Amino acid sequence: MMTVDGLDGAEAVVSGGGSGIGAAVVRLLERSGANVHVADLSGDPPVDVTDRGTLDALASRIRADHGGLDVLVNAAGILTQNLPVDDMPADDFRRNYEVNVIGTVNACQAFGPLLRARCGAVVNVASQAALVSLPQQAAYTAAKGAVTALTRSLAIDWAEHGVRANAVAPGFTLTPMTAAFFENEDFTRAATRRIPLGRILDADEVAAAIVFLASPLASAITGIVLPVDGGWTAGEPALPW
Ligand code: NAP
């Protein structure tokens, strides 16, 4: 089983760690020797990234028990229904921003002092949609674009404290968020044809890139957005010339 070096004894928080990509990150961090705190709506106790109080309560417990934090992974996220931009209600934009963007800001603010205490690392989960637009996903796409810009701001503001901040931009990955899409054979066939590597990704493959960026192996990397997308953002797959 794969592990990542340099994380033995590390203290980590993973928002959205109860499902999909976040859960895969939790498994890999734990196998690599980290002590992981899951911050998820379905966690015990539940943590809602849109509710700063629940994040502050977790931060207080970690401060009391461990004194600092080495890793923060912001994987909590939502995807709202697909609609043409003209029909998209403003509430759709607000909800996407509230969870995907402000939820990430809330977690960074709540855990920032603990990360500074350990010169820790943040990894935000954006999307390929932040780099190459997907049809009928304006609210999600705009929110994930904001996550990538936020990541660069964090990297600059926190560099003087020795805290790194990076993002990954996953492509289509089989998780509970996307399972319904892949039940549609036409969708799966079209998406697979568009992915140069020719397949939907596994959450463990995305987790590997996230945990690498969170680890001391990436000690010189900050402010990047790393596509983990089977080549989707590199361009169209081969043409039959
Ligand atoms: P997922 O299986 O639905 O996992 C998302 C997790 O976030 C769930 O456990 C969910 O809890 C939790 N969550 C949602 N809102 C929350 C909140 N307000 N506070 C705390 N936790 C909350 O989806 P996923 O595919 O693993 O997605 C993980 C991240 O990757 C998301 O940011 C997503 O946008 C991004 N992403 C996914 C793909 C893909 O193809 N799967 C591609 C690009 C980017 P509940 O289940 O209880 O609601």
Side-chain angles (χ1 to χ4, degrees):
M1 286 290 242
M2 179 175 56
T3 60
V4 176
D5 286 349
L7 291 165
D8 198 22
E11 216 59 46
V13 167
V14 181
S15 82
S19 176
I21 291 169
V25 169
V26 172
R27 290 193 297 272
L28 180 53
L29 282 169
E30 287 183 338
R31 279 205 308 278
S32 304
N35 182 35
V36 185
H37 308 267
V38 173
D40 197 285
L41 288 174
S42 60
D44 181 23
V47 173
D48 181 346
V49 295
T50 68
D51 176 355
R52 181 65 194 271
T54 61
L55 289 161
D56 286 341
L58 177 59
S60 295
R61 281 200 303 281
I62 295 173
R63 184 180 300 108
D65 295 344
H66 309 285
L69 191 65
D70 302 285
V71 171
L72 170 63
V73 175
N74 288 305
I78 59 161
L79 173 69
T80 51
Q81 66 181 134
N82 303 115
L83 282 175
V85 66
D86 292 311
D87 303 331
M88 198 164 269
D91 269 350
D92 223 347
F93 277 88
R94 286 194 196 96
R95 187 74 190 133
N96 268 281
Y97 265 76
E98 189 175 12
V99 178
N100 296 335
V101 185
I102 300 173
T104 300
V105 174
N106 281 341
C108 289
Q109 289 179 337
F111 297 110
L114 294 175
L115 288 162
R116 287 196 277 279
R118 295 264 185 101
C119 292
V122 180
V123 184
N124 296 327
V125 182
S127 168
Q128 66 183 5
L131 305 172
V132 174
S133 212
L134 294 175
Q136 303 195 353
Q137 287 197 346
Y140 180 79
T141 296
K144 290 300 187 176
V147 170
T148 64
L150 171 68
T151 301
R152 288 186 284 272
S153 291
L154 286 167
I156 296 306
D157 283 4
W158 284 359
E160 65 180 297
H161 305 293
V163 177
R164 298 181 298 107
N166 292 294
V168 296
F172 283 119
T173 308
L174 182 57
T175 69
M177 179 183 276
T178 54
F181 295 151
F182 300 129
E183 280 166 15
N184 176 340
E185 284 180 17
D186 290 341
F187 178 90
T188 303
R189 204 174 305 114
T192 305
R193 205 182 300 127
R194 172 65 181 78
I195 299 168
L197 287 185
R199 62 184 176 79
I200 305 303
L201 305 178
D202 186 272
D204 289 326
E205 298 178 287
V206 180
I210 293 171
V211 176
F212 159 70
L213 286 173
S215 80
L217 293 174
S219 58
I221 303 176
T222 197
I224 70 156
V225 179
L226 177 64
V228 185
D229 61 3
W232 180 285
T233 54
E236 295 291 324
L239 293 170
W241 295 115

